[in-house]
Amino acid sequence: MAELKVRDLSEQDLAGIESSAKRAHLSREAYLRELIHHDATGHLLSSDVSDLRELTRQMAVIIEQNTKAYLDFVDAVRRLRLPNED
């Protein structure tokens, strides 16, 4: 595995990292490793998320159209009912 050394980190930033790591129940090193991994791989998922948003939008339109068609069909069937079926 590669190593990374960060120089000139402010005490304030280090305290924030320590606090975040503690809240996540991780060591500082494990917390920073997860943070770096998330940032380094985030761009790989962004196009997938955009694709899923578009598919979700398209599915919502299709569901809306199908619901309208179904309700129109039900309404047409009701109008065709014979008088003795009421």
Side-chain angles (χ1 to χ4, degrees):
M1 289 256 173
E3 286 189 27
L4 176 68
K5 184 175 184 175
V6 179
R7 293 187 178 96
D8 301 324
L9 190 63
S10 74
E11 291 296 322
Q12 206 171 19
D13 289 345
L14 183 58
I17 290 168
E18 291 282 354
S19 177
S20 296
K22 190 174 186 177
R23 277 194 308 274
H25 305 287
L26 295 170
S27 68
R28 179 175 58 195
E29 185 176 328
Y31 175 77
L32 288 171
R33 194 171 25 252
E34 284 191 11
L35 196 62
I36 291 167
H37 175 72
H38 176 49
D39 188 68
T41 59
H43 69 281
L44 300 173
L45 298 176
S46 64
S47 65
D48 290 341
V49 170
S50 294
D51 291 348
L52 286 174
R53 279 192 187 117
E54 178 57 22
L55 286 172
T56 302
R57 188 195 66 74
Q58 290 175 8
M59 291 305 298
V61 169
I62 290 168
I63 289 169
E64 187 177 316
Q65 290 170 343
N66 285 346
T67 300
K68 183 182 178 328
Y70 171 76
L71 292 174
D72 289 346
F73 172 76
V74 169
D75 188 48
V77 168
R78 284 186 183 140
R79 281 184 270 136
L80 291 174
R81 293 177 93 185
L82 297 175
N84 61 356
E85 290 183 29
D86 290 329

